[in-house]
Amino acid sequence: MSLIPDITELLARARADLRMGVPVVLTDDGDFSVVAVAAETLNPQRLADLRGLGDTPVVAITGRRAETLKARAYDGDLARVVIPAEADLGWVQAVADPSDDLNAPMKGPLMTQRQGNAHLHRIAIALTKSARLLPAAVVVAVENGRAFAATHGLTCIDHTRAAPHLADRSPLHEVVAARLPMEVSEAGRLHVFRPEDGGEEHYAIEIGRPDRSKTVLARLHSACFTGDLMGSLKCDCGPQLRGALAQMGAEGHGVLLYLNQEGRGIGLANKMRAYFLQDQGFDTVEANHRLGFEDDERDFRLGSDILKSLGFSSVRLLTNNPAKIAMMERTGIAVTERVPLKVGETAHNRAYLATKASKSGHLL
């Protein structure tokens, strides 16, 4: 029946639940089920209720976060940290959030589970990531998860159906396009693309009237609230955005893709957490790792999808990042030229740019 939510809609509901601190139920094809709550939005009463379910709850964290905490990640890419009986909510959130790591470095010894399957814990972490929360979830096993979810009015997610959707990007569809006169060109046009999974919308800004049969000057620009809007001196994003638009305006044509993947794909709140860690002396990559993220969580394939949707197949790419070029080539967009975009270096971001060059391979 079409009125019943499909797996994409259930996953969107689960992300919203986790952001509000509401538990979700995860099940597999067998008889294994768990209740999961985002560690960031958990409250004391729900922690007590989770303990009351009978099984010992754990904090599922990524391998990156486990490395920082010196916790054994027996599951490779994640660790299941056992919550001691005397631990309170502050302990749980300190495992998930590195903000106080330097003030209270000794959180252990942390005991991590070795036996049993961690596939549902992996789904829980993936959901918290895609909800733009800290990548950590409190998880406890329950009997008959589907019945438990129905009794308590909770969203129930089946592992087999969910895993492919969490591993790949959601299809994008153009919602609307309209004329947008801009400072760099009065002949501008803005296209809005919306993913099927209810995630953030992405935008394509056409400068002039680019010929689809020819190579177009293009840039994949990740949203940066602090740099693009506030003029932050900690990054070079704002100058890159304005420099790319100015160059397209000077040439009379171009396409700028504005992808809502703030903070290398971790969201603005987590990006601010990374800034806080940078003020403690960690570089941008180390800060992401301490939070539990990879160096870069963005999916540049979104840019390729949008370009194809608009009818482009060949670009001169305004970028300093070789990963964007490699992605374009792998996904069927020919890159005939890399156009450097070296702007915006300041005393405040010099170390950040050096880290991008040394650890992320940017050509600066």
Side-chain angles (χ1 to χ4, degrees), residues 218-280:
R219 170 158 176 79
L220 277 62
H221 187 88
S222 298
C224 178
F225 171 80
T226 51
D228 298 344
L229 274 69
M230 306 306 296
S232 169
L233 301 177
K234 286 179 66 70
C235 65
D236 55 345
C237 302
Q240 284 190 326
L241 173 62
R242 291 182 286 276
L245 287 172
Q247 188 162 341
M248 291 174 186
E251 295 196 13
H253 65 88
V255 179
L256 186 137
L257 307 182
Y258 198 87
L259 306 178
N260 276 310
Q261 301 191 108
E262 180 84 41
R264 295 188 177 184
I266 66 176
L268 183 58
N270 287 320
K271 173 180 166 180
M272 290 299 97
R273 291 184 171 111
Y275 274 18
F276 181 78
L277 294 174
Q278 289 171 37
D279 287 341
Q280 295 180 8

Side-chain angles (χ1 to χ4, degrees), residues 6 110 215 248 329 344:
D6 62 21
L110 298 176
T215 297
M248 291 174 186
E329 296 285 0

Side-chain angles (χ1 to χ4, degrees), residues 343-362:
V343 293
E345 182 175 336
T346 71
H348 295 274
N349 66 24
R350 197 161 289 130
Y352 164 76
L353 295 177
T355 299
K356 286 210 298 186
S358 63
K359 292 189 175 183
S360 301
H362 287 225

Side-chain angles (χ1 to χ4, degrees), residues 23-274:
V24 298
V25 176
L26 310 174
T27 66
D28 65 10
D29 291 334
D31 57 1
F32 184 46
S33 302
V34 302
V35 176
V37 189
E40 179 178 340
T41 54
L42 180 65
N43 63 41
Q45 183 57 57
R46 283 205 166 114
L47 176 58
D49 290 342
L50 289 173
R51 282 191 162 119
L53 295 178
D55 207 43
T56 301
V58 301
V59 187
I61 57 175
T62 67
R64 290 293 191 187
R65 182 67 181 141
E67 184 179 0
T68 294
L69 296 173
K70 304 295 188 291
R72 290 187 178 275
Y74 293 113
D75 304 306
D77 59 337
L78 66 90
R80 293 169 285 160
V81 180
V82 177
I83 302 176
E86 68 279 5
D88 60 7
L89 179 62
W91 185 94
V92 171
Q93 293 184 334
V95 169
D97 188 343
S99 298
D100 206 37
D101 278 358
L102 295 189
N103 291 330
M106 297 302 293
K107 294 182 174 62
L110 298 176
M111 303 295 294
T112 55
Q113 286 185 347
R114 190 170 190 166
Q115 304 300 320
N117 201 317
H119 59 305
L120 297 184
H121 302 73
R122 192 167 286 111
I123 292 287
I125 290 176
L127 281 170
T128 58
K129 271 191 179 185
S130 60
R132 298 293 186 260
L133 299 169
L134 286 167
V138 175
V139 180
V140 59
V142 293
E143 297 288 338
N144 197 344
R146 290 176 178 81
F148 185 93
T151 300
H152 294 84
L154 301 177
T155 302
C156 186
I157 300 296
D158 176 78
H159 168 270
T160 303
R161 296 171 63 205
H165 293 267
L166 290 170
D168 204 0
R169 64 199 183 281
S170 178
L172 291 167
H173 302 286
E174 186 170 357
V175 178
V176 66
R179 188 175 67 87
L180 180 67
M182 293 177 285
E183 290 181 357
V184 298
S185 173
E186 293 187 6
R189 192 169 183 82
L190 175 63
H191 303 257
V192 177
F193 287 84
R194 183 177 296 161
E196 291 181 359
D197 65 1
E200 294 96 340
E201 294 171 347
H202 306 284
Y203 318 121
I205 300 97
E206 283 190 74
I207 304 299
R209 294 291 180 263
D211 187 339
R212 267 60 174 171
S213 67
K214 297 180 180 178
T215 297
V216 65
L217 182 64
R219 170 158 176 79
L220 277 62
H221 187 88
S222 298
C224 178
F225 171 80
T226 51
D228 298 344
L229 274 69
M230 306 306 296
S232 169
L233 301 177
K234 286 179 66 70
C235 65
D236 55 345
C237 302
Q240 284 190 326
L241 173 62
R242 291 182 286 276
L245 287 172
Q247 188 162 341
M248 291 174 186
E251 295 196 13
H253 65 88
V255 179
L256 186 137
L257 307 182
Y258 198 87
L259 306 178
N260 276 310
Q261 301 191 108
E262 180 84 41
R264 295 188 177 184
I266 66 176
L268 183 58
N270 287 320
K271 173 180 166 180
M272 290 299 97
R273 291 184 171 111

